[in-house]
Amino acid sequence: MVDLSIDFCGIKSPNPFWLASGPPTNSGDQVSRAFEAGWGGAVWKTLGNPVVNLNSRYGAFRGERGRILGFNNIELISDRGLSVNLREMAEVKRRYPDHALIASVMAGDKDEWQELIRRVEDTGVDGLELNFSCPHGMCERGLGSAVGQEPAVATKITRWVKECTALPTIVKFTPNVADICDQGRAAVTGGADGAALINTIKSIVGVDLDDFIPFPKLRNGSTNGGYCGAAIKPIALHMVASLARQPWFSLPISGIGGIGGWRDCAEFIALGCTSVQVCAAVMQHGFGIVKQMSEGLSAYLQEKSMASPAALRGKALANYKEWGELDMNYKVVATIDEAACIGCNSCYTACNDGAYQAIVHSSRTTESGKPIPSILAQRCTGCNLCSLVCPVHCITMTDISETDTVESWQDIVARGGYVVTDGIKK
Ligand SMILES: Cc1cc2nc3c(=O)[nH]c(=O)nc-3n(C[C@H](O)[C@H](O)[C@H](O)COP(=O)(O)O)c2cc1C
């Protein structure tokens, strides 16, 4: 049996699935419903000095058929009264003692930070998350990402917090920097107990081409916001791995950015995370997605004979190498499953115009009479592009590194490929 429970720098959670600080964690009612749905933990919407939020505040970046690839937002921290938030947090912690409840906090000077922490401590929360990462609205006031971007300031504030509390303290990093490791060093030096990354990425999701106002639109214009959702996952994975692979970095990491399913969770854990946090996917699909995450991750761990997420943690890190360490002798070529090909020409166009001109049309056709493409095996650089653009996944990349070169070309010809000799197709 798989045990999904985790211990994140002393914060116990029945599973690694936490809600990230944001709209889904804005109230006690929401966090309670999330815990009932199966979430193991929640980071409350950031608490701080009172703010007033704008009305139109979310925008979306859409892909094919209107599918949302990412959200952008210009929302600030919690605009509810601090005492209301604190009362609801205490109530949630009392009702769900075995779930992880973390307070995200943001303040200005030392007195403000320490006063806020003392008030938050009284709620009985399991830990703190220091918001050094909000990239809009707050950073203009010297808070949020303005702190994460100044490692010395981040260290100083982390020390102020650690000075006044024994609560496990997580620092949340901004991706709006050149090197994420600078914040890692600042967190370690300041005495943090854990790291959470990433917050949103500075962005403009689009422009209305009639009135020329970027989205999300307000009457008199718009501003840059924070980008999140599936589109940012690759950036988040890279930042998590960049930090987790550092020999000097041993704090537990809570991975955030574009997580929406159990595979995303497993990938973040394989790159070194202890817990994962989700915001955009819940904003779009609701708390119920945790069921699939939980069942999927359990089944995967069981299949791999891993008793817990800890067994998976960091498994992919050794395989994340420097470019110069990669195998120059690894050779793959594209092969097309002609029976599955629909003759759409996508691979031909991509290869011919966008890559290395290694695909031609053969004389064979699909049932509907469209020409089936064929690989010029000796010209194929194994770049993967054709297999990536193929809408029916009928192109696979075949490893020929270990096979005798001449024979392998013959195999490819036997499968319908051409061999180019002295520029003549045979
Ligand atoms: C509308 C919105 C509000 C957010 N508010 C906060 C916040 O108050 N504090 C915080 O630390 N992060 C905040 N975030 C960032 C999320 O916690 C998370 O880091 C980010 O959205 C990336 O994760 P995702 O791709 O799962 O959404 C907010 C995100 C969104 C979309």
Side-chain angles (χ1 to χ4, degrees), residues 36 41 56 69 72 90 113 158 258 295 309 323 370 398 424-425:
E36 292 295 333
S56 162
L69 304 177
N72 138 300
W113 272 100
T158 310
E295 289 171 0
W323 193 95
K370 293 184 176 151
T398 308
I424 301 162
K425 197 177 13 158

Side-chain angles (χ1 to χ4, degrees), residues 20-21 23 45-46 58 73 75 131 172 198-199 228-229 256 258 279-280:
S21 178
K45 173 84 184 160
T46 304
Y58 306 151
N73 83 90
E75 182 171 293
N131 182 338
K172 184 164 176 183
I198 56 176
N199 205 316
C228 65
I256 319 169
C279 180

Side-chain angles (χ1 to χ4, degrees), residues 75-281:
E75 182 171 293
L76 306 181
I77 61 174
S78 177
D79 52 17
R80 305 169 80 223
L82 181 61
S83 49
V84 177
N85 276 315
L86 296 178
R87 194 181 63 239
E88 291 181 13
M89 287 163 77
E91 175 63 14
V92 168
K93 191 60 218 171
R94 196 185 57 71
R95 282 180 60 200
Y96 300 93
D98 299 330
H99 286 66
L101 188 65
I102 294 145
S104 170
V105 280
M106 181 192 279
D109 63 22
K110 183 175 180 178
D111 289 343
E112 266 183 33
W113 272 100
Q114 297 194 337
E115 170 62 18
L116 180 60
I117 303 300
R118 271 187 221 93
R119 292 190 66 184
V120 164
E121 264 190 325
D122 291 342
T123 63
V125 291
D126 302 289
L128 303 169
E129 190 179 88
L130 313 187
N131 182 338
F132 294 167
S133 45
C134 178
H136 44 81
M138 305 312 296
C139 52
E140 291 88 336
R141 307 168 194 199
L143 310 172
S145 64
V147 174
Q149 287 162 346
E150 288 293 339
V153 179
T155 297
K156 184 174 70 181
I157 297 178
T158 310
R159 284 193 177 128
W160 292 344
V161 172
K162 290 299 294 176
E163 230 175 72
C164 77
T165 183
L167 279 178
T169 301
I170 303 165
V171 174
K172 184 164 176 183
F173 295 3
T174 172
N176 301 298
V177 289
D179 184 358
I180 200 79
C181 291
D182 294 343
Q183 288 170 91
R185 282 188 206 91
V188 171
T189 314
D193 303 291
L197 59 154
I198 56 176
N199 205 316
T200 52
I201 302 171
K202 268 189 190 239
S203 58
I204 291 178
V205 277
V207 175
D208 184 320
L209 290 177
D210 291 318
D211 59 16
F212 306 108
I213 300 179
F215 298 109
K217 287 166 44 168
L218 281 85
R219 192 170 17 223
N220 63 342
S222 190
T223 189
N224 57 278
Y227 196 39
C228 65
I232 73 162
K233 183 183 132 187
I235 297 161
L237 280 176
H238 167 250
M239 291 189 160
V240 160
S242 300
L243 191 64
R245 75 206 288 237
Q246 300 301 328
W248 50 264
F249 192 84
S250 56
L251 304 182
I253 299 175
S254 192
I256 319 169
I259 296 172
W262 74 265
R263 284 181 181 276
D264 305 323
C265 301
E267 287 169 19
F268 273 85
I269 295 170
L271 283 173
C273 293
T274 300
S275 75
V276 290
Q277 297 184 27
V278 181
C279 180

